[in-house]
Amino acid sequence: MTNDLGDLKFDNVLAQECETVQDMMTEAMQVCGKWFGDTVTTTDEQKKWIKEIYGMLLKVRRSSYEITLYDRALRIEGAEIIVSEARIKSLDDFKDFDKKISTTIQQNLIPTLQSDESKIFFHKILGDFYQFLAAITVKKTPEWETVVASAKESYENGQKMLDNNKNSLIKFGLIFSYSKLLAEICDDYQTAVQMVGNAVSAPNLVTQSTEELQLVALNRENLTNWSQKI
């Protein structure tokens, strides 16, 4: 059997999921544009940094998703070898990304931003990058532990700046991403359920936009699914 990754045949469900991921990343680019669109003036240098950040994020996200698909396709003969080779290639491709994206976000971009929400947004983006990188890395290895710790640190840096008494798109987005790291990468469903439950289970929860309502619904769906795994 050839080791060409393109030779793996996935069913229609997996193909649809792949399309959904591409749609999600396209939407993420649009969200980024909202933060730095008509309401905020950006310099050419900031735009360059944002473009670099999203370029790296898209590449590592695509690889992490592909490897997830390969992991689910282990019923195919020889898939174990393909998954191993894919991990090695992806980690080699991204070995310099973590330092570069961390420097670009934390040292270059965030100090130039004016609003707390825009700073939180890019702490979340950095956490997302490390979460995707963790999905590529073999679990429970020292490398995996380091990447997961970096993801947690990035999300927590964003959490420190949140106004917990105020519901917002960035708040629900940060909770959605951080809780997915805890549950789906770290298998810590208990902490993930507690985090999401505290945010979205309040009886007087009020959302201000359709986007916020959608994120609350996604968080609640995760809360239901993860609660069954405790």
Side-chain angles (χ1 to χ4, degrees), residues 5-200:
L5 300 181
D7 286 345
L8 277 177
K9 306 298 183 182
F10 299 113
D11 57 30
N12 290 334
V13 173
L14 295 184
Q16 289 170 4
E17 288 182 0
C18 191
E19 290 177 2
T20 300
V21 168
Q22 294 302 318
D23 291 342
M24 179 189 72
M25 296 314 297
T26 299
E27 184 177 351
M29 292 291 285
Q30 294 171 348
V31 170
C32 183
K34 289 179 182 178
W35 288 107
F36 299 94
D38 298 334
T39 58
V40 180
T41 301
T42 53
T43 65
D44 289 340
E45 195 167 31
Q46 284 177 324
K47 292 176 182 177
K48 180 193 74 173
W49 291 330
I50 294 167
K51 183 177 179 181
E52 289 178 355
I53 290 164
Y54 265 88
M56 289 184 281
L57 186 70
L58 284 165
K59 288 177 182 178
V60 74
R61 181 64 184 96
R62 186 178 299 114
S63 289
S64 70
Y65 190 77
E66 287 174 351
I67 288 175
T68 299
L69 293 183
Y70 302 151
D71 277 335
R72 291 171 58 182
L74 288 178
R75 63 183 183 276
I76 300 175
E77 180 184 358
E80 294 91 342
I81 297 175
I82 294 175
V83 172
S84 177
E85 289 181 350
R87 288 188 191 279
I88 292 171
K89 182 180 184 304
S90 295
L91 288 172
D92 186 60
D93 288 344
F94 301 128
K95 62 183 179 181
D96 296 325
F97 269 29
D98 59 342
K99 183 177 180 181
K100 184 176 181 180
I101 195 171
S102 177
T103 299
T104 301
I105 290 178
Q106 298 195 88
Q107 297 182 24
N108 297 342
L109 182 59
I110 287 180
T112 72
L113 301 175
Q114 299 300 314
S115 72
D116 284 348
E117 285 198 333
S118 60
K119 293 177 182 179
I120 294 168
F121 180 79
F122 280 98
H123 281 304
K124 174 191 174 297
I125 290 297
L126 185 57
D128 290 346
F129 171 83
Y130 283 120
Q131 180 171 177
F132 301 152
L133 197 58
I136 296 172
T137 311
V138 177
K139 273 192 172 185
K140 306 304 181 183
T141 60
E143 293 80 7
W144 180 87
E145 297 284 357
T146 298
V147 172
V148 167
S150 295
K152 289 181 177 180
E153 180 181 11
S154 301
Y155 289 136
E156 286 166 7
N157 285 339
Q159 279 191 322
K160 292 174 185 176
M161 303 180 71
L162 280 175
D163 180 353
N164 289 322
N165 296 317
K166 177 184 177 182
N167 294 319
S168 66
L169 184 63
I170 191 62
K171 174 182 177 179
F172 295 127
L174 180 61
I175 290 169
F176 179 79
S177 290
Y178 194 178
S179 61
K180 281 181 72 70
L181 171 78
L182 295 171
E184 299 179 2
I185 301 296
C186 302
D187 299 322
D188 186 359
Y189 293 99
Q190 183 74 49
T191 305
V193 164
Q194 183 177 2
M195 178 183 295
V196 176
N198 289 341
V200 303

